[in-house]
Amino acid sequence: DAGTIVRDQMVEFAFKISHKVDLRGWTLPRNYKHSLTVPDAKEWAAARAKEFKNFEDHEVWEECIRPDGNVRILPIAEVYDIKFDADGKPTKRKYRICGKGFRQIKGIDYHNCYAPVIHADVLRMCLCIAVELGLGCVQFDFSAAFLHATNDVEMYVECPPGYKPKLKGDVVLRLDKVIYGMKQSAHRFYKLISGDFIKLGFKQSRSSPCLFIKFYGEENRVALLVLHVDDGGYFAKDNQVIEKDLTLLRRKFKLDHEP
């Protein structure tokens, strides 16, 4: 309808202007063609190759010839970003492939998009308990979190700009995993990681589904684990217990963490 068309046009416009931003003298590429002409084109090419390799390693998609009939193909959006250090020097160029989730239709392209997050009050409670009991804390985040979660619907996306398919012909990509930008991505990852936390011996709080609790050892000590999308915090008295569980998680996920 007319409202949907206007909404799509506004979102498309937001995608375009979001890439026309100067960051401390550096200009973010607007799109693939623009990234080939900027002074740091080689660095952006390396960032793009890294993202393609990341998708390949996680077996996110499969190449296929465009299906016949009225099959929906989700467009792809490119996101460019630069990370800076404290002195304002660029430390990392980040390229991300996202699906244009605003084009998705519920019941066809996704079923559920709800994913809880930790409430501030619950997090403050955990910090108070940690101080009272003398618990150690490790903060961690999951690298490329959503790429671990399987897709629950049949979905296709267009090939990203700069992607060179191995197949010949009119090639599209069938998604076996979810990608950033899709409406169900956070929900699918939450379902995956909450199940893995339970396998580590944690019990999920009924009142706060992003809080996980377990008791361990002869002294029945408490360990708390909180989750906020793809960031987590682990509270426990014994560092070896924290490291043991994080080591088990590293078998499946790449974790970046700090004490």
Side-chain angles (χ1 to χ4, degrees):
D1 57 7
T4 302
I5 295 174
V6 172
R7 182 201 62 188
D8 289 352
Q9 290 175 341
M10 292 177 64
V11 176
E12 290 280 4
F13 177 71
F15 269 113
K16 291 179 181 179
I17 65 174
S18 65
H19 296 139
K20 298 181 180 179
V21 180
D22 287 335
L23 299 175
R24 306 183 188 185
W26 296 88
T27 300
L28 294 179
R30 295 188 298 271
N31 50 43
Y32 170 69
K33 290 184 178 180
H34 186 214
S35 72
L36 302 177
T37 63
V38 294
D40 50 347
K42 291 184 178 180
E43 288 81 357
W44 286 117
R48 187 181 304 106
K50 181 179 178 180
E51 180 76 343
F52 287 159
K53 181 65 165 55
N54 200 19
F55 272 54
E56 181 180 348
D57 292 344
H58 287 86
E59 300 179 339
V60 174
W61 54 39
E62 295 181 49
E63 295 180 4
C64 62
I65 301 301
R66 187 180 299 271
D68 296 329
N70 188 25
V71 177
R72 291 174 50 77
I73 311 294
L74 190 68
I76 286 292
E78 301 176 276
V79 177
Y80 295 83
D81 194 17
I82 301 177
K83 303 294 183 182
F84 297 91
D85 61 16
D87 297 324
K89 297 180 180 180
T91 59
K92 181 180 180 181
R93 286 164 178 80
K94 193 169 184 179
Y95 171 84
R96 177 162 284 173
I97 300 169
C98 299
K100 293 187 178 181
F102 58 89
R103 296 279 187 89
Q104 291 181 259
I105 298 176
K106 187 173 184 179
I108 299 177
D109 301 318
Y110 72 98
H111 299 298
N112 196 330
C113 62
Y114 173 72
V117 296
I118 192 71
H119 291 279
D121 290 343
V122 177
L123 182 57
R124 284 193 288 266
M125 178 195 70
C126 292
L127 292 171
C128 291
I129 293 174
V131 171
E132 181 68 22
L133 300 181
L135 307 182
C137 176
V138 171
Q139 184 273 332
F140 60 93
D141 64 85
F142 296 89
S143 179
F146 292 174
L147 303 187
H148 294 85
T150 57
N151 199 2
D152 59 341
V153 295
E154 184 175 6
M155 183 178 294
Y156 299 85
V157 295
E158 300 284 359
C159 292
Y163 178 80
K164 298 179 180 179
K166 299 176 182 178
L167 292 180
K168 295 182 179 180
D170 188 7
V171 178
V172 295
L173 304 168
R174 183 174 61 246
L175 292 180
D176 296 324
K177 305 283 184 67
V178 295
I179 62 176
Y180 287 88
M182 294 171 56
K183 289 185 178 295
Q184 69 266 44
S185 296
H187 170 75
R188 296 298 298 170
F189 177 71
Y190 171 78
K191 295 286 287 186
L192 172 68
I193 193 59
S194 59
D196 286 336
F197 289 162
I198 291 173
K199 290 178 182 178
L200 294 176
F202 285 89
K203 291 186 177 181
Q204 190 174 24
S205 168
R206 293 183 180 180
S207 59
S208 182
C210 284
L211 171 63
F212 299 82
I213 307 166
K214 79 172 177 179
F215 296 91
Y216 65 92
E218 295 180 357
E219 299 180 8
N220 210 27
R221 291 179 172 176
V222 65
L224 305 173
L225 200 158
V226 295
L227 179 70
H228 188 88
V229 189
D230 59 355
D231 292 292
Y234 196 132
F235 303 86
K237 184 75 172 180
D238 305 299
N239 289 332
Q240 60 267 32
V241 172
I242 298 176
E243 188 57 34
K244 177 183 176 182
D245 284 346
L246 293 183
T247 298
L248 293 174
L249 287 176
R250 288 192 199 99
R251 295 179 181 179
K252 187 173 183 179
F253 306 96
K254 181 181 178 181
L255 301 181
D256 298 320
H257 74 278
E258 57 186 46

